[in-house]
Amino acid sequence: MKLSAGLLLYRPVPGGVEVLLVHMGGPFWAGKDDHAWSIPKGEYDEGEDPAAVAVREFTEELGDPPPGGPTLELGSARQSNKTVTVFARPGDFDAAAAVSNTFTLQWPPRSGRFQEFPEVDRAEWFDLPTAAGKLVKGQVVFLTRLADRLAGSDRGSEGGWPGDEVGFAPLCRPQTSPSVDEEAASGRSAADPKEPR
């Protein structure tokens, strides 16, 4: 089983929060929008620190490191053939300025022609209900976990949670609750086997 770690950045907006997602690059994802976005993430080897990997992959896919701050652990979930571990952190980021690293792919298939494509072709902030429809299905569970954490279901004995000191208000669970399809492929296919590492 492959291992992957990601960082879900969130920021306050009136009535709740927004999360920063990335649209997966490459020809397979071109023109797709629903369930074609991802938490910035990437693969790592056994023994590596997943929290450090999440920061590293965020930096590679968006071109700049995430802002520092308190970090929430949102646990792990299975997505296709890998186990994804996600962390969340409050902060802001200029999505329009994101510049991704690239990967090489033979395209069209069996053409003998290799082209470079960005790992992610854009980044954008979404409220939680909208994000639930954008994310690949195997990652939607992390939105629910984030909402639960911020709403206070996992608060400590003092009733606080990371982000209080920067004025984040509690929010409700996403209004849409798509079922988590543990076997849902992130969209990978023989035509384009690449997804964010």
Side-chain angles (χ1 to χ4, degrees):
M1 180 72 67
K2 295 180 179 179
L3 301 174
S4 184
L7 181 64
L8 182 61
L9 205 63
Y10 63 94
R11 68 182 184 184
V13 294
V17 298
E18 291 180 333
V19 292
L20 182 65
L21 305 182
V22 293
H23 185 270
M24 293 181 280
F28 177 82
W29 299 103
K32 294 180 172 63
D33 191 60
D34 290 348
H35 304 300
W37 295 70
S38 175
I39 295 166
K41 66 178 182 62
E43 291 181 7
Y44 66 97
D45 296 323
E46 191 76 39
E48 288 190 85
D49 177 10
V53 171
V55 171
R56 179 189 73 202
E57 296 299 324
F58 183 104
T59 303
E60 289 184 0
E61 294 189 350
L62 290 151
D64 281 302
T71 303
L72 292 168
E73 296 184 17
L74 299 183
S76 301
R78 184 176 174 184
Q79 179 191 327
S80 186
N81 65 336
K82 66 181 63 176
T83 297
V84 179
T85 301
V86 170
F87 302 86
R89 182 180 296 176
D92 205 356
F93 190 91
D94 184 0
V99 179
S100 176
N101 57 347
T102 61
F103 67 95
T104 302
L105 176 72
Q106 183 177 197
W107 190 262
R110 298 178 295 279
S111 66
R113 181 185 177 192
F114 289 83
Q115 302 183 55
E116 281 199 352
F117 298 94
E119 291 238 10
V120 303
D121 54 31
R122 62 189 182 276
E124 194 168 335
W125 289 94
F126 298 104
D127 60 39
L128 293 186
T130 303
K134 300 289 187 182
L135 270 177
V136 292
K137 293 181 179 180
Q139 295 179 26
V140 173
V141 63
F142 296 113
L143 299 180
T144 303
R145 292 178 186 175
L146 176 65
D148 284 345
R149 292 296 300 274
L150 301 187
S153 62
D154 286 337
R155 291 183 183 182
S157 59
E158 297 181 359
W161 47 272
D164 278 344
E165 68 277 12
V166 290
F168 283 74
L171 76 159
C172 298
R173 293 168 63 92
Q175 297 173 5
T176 57
S177 300
S179 60
V180 178
D181 182 0
E182 297 291 1
E183 298 301 323
S186 63
R188 295 174 71 177
S189 70
D192 181 4
K194 187 65 179 177
E195 66 167 332
R197 294 178 293 113

